[in-house]
Structure formats: structure tokens, C-alpha cells
Amino acid sequence: MSLADLDITGYRSIKSIRFPLRRLTVLVGGNGVGKTNLYRALEMVRAAATGELTLALAREGGLASAMWAGPRRVNEAPRLRFEVGLDTILPNDDEAAFLPRYAVEVGFGDSKYQAVFAEEPQIKAESLVLPGRRAVTLLERKGPAAHYRDEAGRMRPLDQPLLASETALSALRGTLPELDAIRHLLGAWRFYHGFRTDRDSPLRRPALAVTAPMLDADGGNLGAVFATLRHIRGDSVDLDAAIDQAFPGARLEVPPPGRNAAFAMVFPDLPRRSFGAEELSDGTLQFLALLGALLAYRPPPFIALNEPEASLHPDLLPALARAIARAAERSQVWVVTHSTILADAITAETGILPRQVIRRDGATWLEGLSDIGIFPDE
């Protein structure tokens, strides 16, 4: 199951945009064009699946901060809308391929409509539809009332009204395998927007020795991710090759874990000296964390990287590009960067051309994107 397209309305610098995504999508652009807002919009979709959408908006400074600040029509209600199309085969009688579409709309709370705090974001509408000659609605929500399609094909109301802060997708569990599959998919996405590398960073502390198929968002289980590759999977070929490309002659030491799992680097100019995570430079540690995210034993279905080149020396970017290419063979990968060096290196590895993020009429847009949401050159 993969992300086919993304549709965003009214979010920060994004007035309205819809565009397709591929197995590997690379967006490049300068500061202030809205690259990070495109990235954050995907985080909001994941938050809708996990039931944390209104909390995520509150953490961003509240709905007023997240709203499109440009002009709107007088009668137009201020709303945020996120919609994704998924390319998948869902369980059904004939195993036919479907392109399910999930959408959620958020607006300011209205105490006349439902009990909410004064400035709390409120879920206004939500839907999950299987388009086709005869579109099938699996989930429809307007305000606190929501209906879902049961296994017999009948639309049934929820047993109790939803809170203004919770999504129906996160609340409905065990009703239909399609709903559970899509909630699981969206909730399994992983976002990596830089890693702390200060003295107290989770990266610099030993990880608990628990098998780790993928990297945590803060990188705190990096030692366990490396140990899982080396000692459980018994295959660290891609990891070792990436380190050798980035630091010729260097190697990663991953001792068999005891209570904790740790790692160290050995460099060719000091072959008898191991440098633990607490001693490594910020850039080296950041690079190793990115490798952990991209080359883990069982990567998530969708990996999003926001400006992964931060703190990295340009000499490391070709190795990072190769790791991104390897990850895209097993997961869908989205990269947002302002580094043309990294973007060009990814193109050299994969042949995939990056898309330029620009401003059009004051709003975030993608160069070459048509008004109907396609790239004519594809």
C-alpha cells in the first residue's frame, strides 16, 4: 500500500495544491517557499490516523497559526483540509485493486455545535471513499455524527458521538478490515526531521537491547537498530558499504549486546581506537542516524526526511543519496531538501528528477505542476 497523491487546502503557506507522489519523491527549494509545510501536512495525515490531529495542530501554535494567511472569499469559512489517495489492494471477494481516498477537514470550534474549548481545533468532516464507477463510502463524518459501512454493506451510525478532537478513523476499530488496514498504514509512516546531537541526545546513550526493526523518531534505539542488522538479520552489507563510501577505510563496530546495545566507529588513521557515540562529531552521528532510518531491518512503509543534509559535510551526501536509493527499493521515500548537491546525487543514483518548490501568487507550488494536479512531463 503506497501514497499515490496528496491534496492540501488552507495550511500555512499552502492555499490549495494536489500532486502525485512516486516511489521516491524529492522536493528541492530555497528557504521560505514552503517545503517544510508540505512535509508537515503529511505529518497531519498520520496524526489523523493515530487520533492526534488536533493535538498536533495545538502544538504548532494553534489553528490560527496553521491556517492559510492569504486572502479568501468573504463567505469562505477558514478550514484546513488534508486528503490522500492510496494505491493498494484491499481485502475483498475478488481482490480487485482500489484507490481509496481519505480526507479530513478541521475548523475552529463552535460551542453551539459541540462542547469544545474556546480555541480548540474541531474535526468538521471526514471521509474514506473507494472511487470507481460506483463509488463506495466506507466512512463519512459530519461534525460529531459519523457513519460507517458494515460487512453487510449497510451504513451504520457510531454507537456514540465523537469528540470534536478525535477522528473517526482512529476511533473505529474492528468494524471493517479496510478501515483497519488504512489506519495501520498511515499510522506506520515515519518522519525524521533532524536528530539531536547535543551531549544529552538519545543518540549518544546506549539503547536497550531489544530487537529493533526500525528507528524511533528521536533515534534513541540506534544501537539496537545496528545490532539487529548485524546480529539478528546477519546482513549489514548496505550499512557497511555506506559507511565505507562516506568515510573510506572506516568501519562500524557493533558488539553483541548485553543489557544495552551500543556502537562505535574506528577510523583508518587511528585503527586501534574506537570512538563511541558520546565521542563522535555531530555530523558523523547525524549521518549514522540517517543510515539507521533508511537501512533498518524492516523499514516503515513510508519514510519522510526533512532537510537530511543539515550538519552533514557535502562529501557525505553521495553516500546518503545511495542509502536513500536503497531504502526506496523497500519503502516509499519522500525527501525535502534545499541541497542541490543531494538532489543531484539522488538523480545520479536513481534517474529520478527532483521537483522544485516555488511560490506562485504568494502560495507554495511545485514547478511544472498543472492546475489539475499532474506533471505533464511524466
Side-chain angles (χ1 to χ4, degrees):
M1 216 188 301
S2 60
L3 181 59
D5 64 76
L6 174 62
D7 192 329
I8 314 163
T9 301
Y11 181 61
R12 295 191 175 276
S13 64
I14 304 165
K15 183 177 182 181
S16 180
I17 191 171
R18 177 177 178 176
F19 59 96
L21 282 83
R22 300 294 177 252
R23 187 70 177 176
L24 173 58
T25 298
V26 181
L27 303 181
V28 63
N31 293 328
V33 294
K35 301 187 308 299
T36 299
N37 293 336
L38 294 171
Y39 172 92
R40 286 179 176 170
L42 279 175
E43 286 189 298
M44 294 302 153
V45 175
R46 179 186 182 275
T50 59
E52 300 172 309
L53 177 56
T54 56
L55 179 61
L57 289 169
R59 285 173 174 162
E60 283 201 356
L63 195 56
S65 298
M67 283 285 185
W68 161 250
R72 61 168 57 92
R73 292 188 295 271
V74 176
N75 317 350
E76 186 180 1
R79 296 284 173 87
L80 301 181
R81 190 172 188 277
F82 307 101
E83 181 176 345
V84 292
L86 302 172
D87 187 359
T88 182
I89 296 177
L90 291 175
N92 57 77
D93 292 339
D94 57 5
E95 289 296 317
F98 288 94
L99 297 175
R101 302 199 65 81
Y102 173 70
V104 60
E105 190 172 309
V106 186
F108 288 101
D110 184 350
S111 58
K112 295 179 181 178
Y113 161 78
Q114 192 177 2
V116 289
F117 295 123
E119 299 184 12
E120 184 179 5
Q122 185 177 64
I123 309 294
K124 298 291 187 179
E126 197 175 355
S127 65
L128 179 60
V129 178
L130 302 179
R133 286 179 295 179
R134 291 187 300 172
V136 177
T137 299
L138 299 180
L139 168 68
E140 185 172 28
R141 183 248 189 93
K142 294 181 180 178
H147 293 75
Y148 68 95
R149 188 174 297 275
D150 64 17
E151 293 183 351
R154 297 185 298 266
M155 293 299 288
R156 300 182 53 180
L158 266 68
D159 295 336
Q160 59 185 17
L162 294 164
L163 294 174
S165 59
E166 62 184 340
T167 56
L169 184 61
S170 67
L172 275 170
R173 297 176 182 269
T175 55
L176 275 181
E178 292 88 345
L179 289 174
D180 291 336
I182 290 169
R183 183 181 59 254
H184 175 74
L185 169 74
L186 301 183
W189 291 356
R190 289 294 179 268
F191 297 83
Y192 299 103
H193 184 181
F195 297 95
R196 282 181 52 197
T197 55
D198 58 89
R199 184 179 60 184
D200 298 322
S201 164
L203 293 175
R204 297 193 184 276
R205 297 196 295 266
L208 293 175
V210 176
T211 302
M214 67 183 69
L215 187 69
D216 291 342
D218 66 357
N221 65 338
L222 182 59
V225 168
F226 288 155
T228 300
L229 280 171
R230 187 69 59 85
H231 302 292
I232 300 294
R233 185 179 183 181
D235 180 6
S236 57
V237 172
D238 287 340
L239 175 63
D240 294 334
I243 289 172
D244 185 63
Q245 183 183 3
F247 308 102
R251 71 179 189 273
L252 180 71
E253 286 189 342
V254 185
R259 173 177 290 184
N260 295 320
F263 60 91
M265 287 285 291
V266 178
F267 297 99
D269 52 345
L270 293 170
R272 298 182 180 181
R273 171 79 156 83
S274 296
F275 291 84
E278 69 281 1
E279 300 176 277
L280 294 174
S281 71
D282 291 354
T284 300
L285 196 60
Q286 179 90 353
F287 179 76
L288 292 176
L290 288 167
L291 294 186
L294 294 164
L295 303 177
Y297 180 20
R298 190 177 63 219
F302 185 91
I303 300 171
L305 304 177
N306 189 25
E307 298 185 357
E309 71 280 1
S311 299
L312 299 187
H313 190 279
D315 289 349
L316 301 182
L317 298 186
L320 176 59
R322 181 168 295 182
I324 289 170
R326 294 293 178 270
E329 295 172 2
R330 299 191 294 158
S331 298
Q332 190 173 15
V333 180
W334 157 296
V335 179
V336 175
T337 177
H338 60 240
S339 171
T340 55
I341 297 175
L342 176 60
D344 291 344
I346 294 173
T347 299
E349 286 287 338
T350 65
I352 293 173
L353 296 176
R355 293 294 176 184
Q356 191 79 24
V357 184
I358 60 173
R359 287 275 191 167
R360 191 183 77 163
D361 299 328
T364 297
W365 196 254
L366 298 180
E367 191 172 43
L369 181 68
S370 73
D371 288 335
I372 60 174
I374 63 171
F375 292 106
D377 58 355
E378 290 189 350

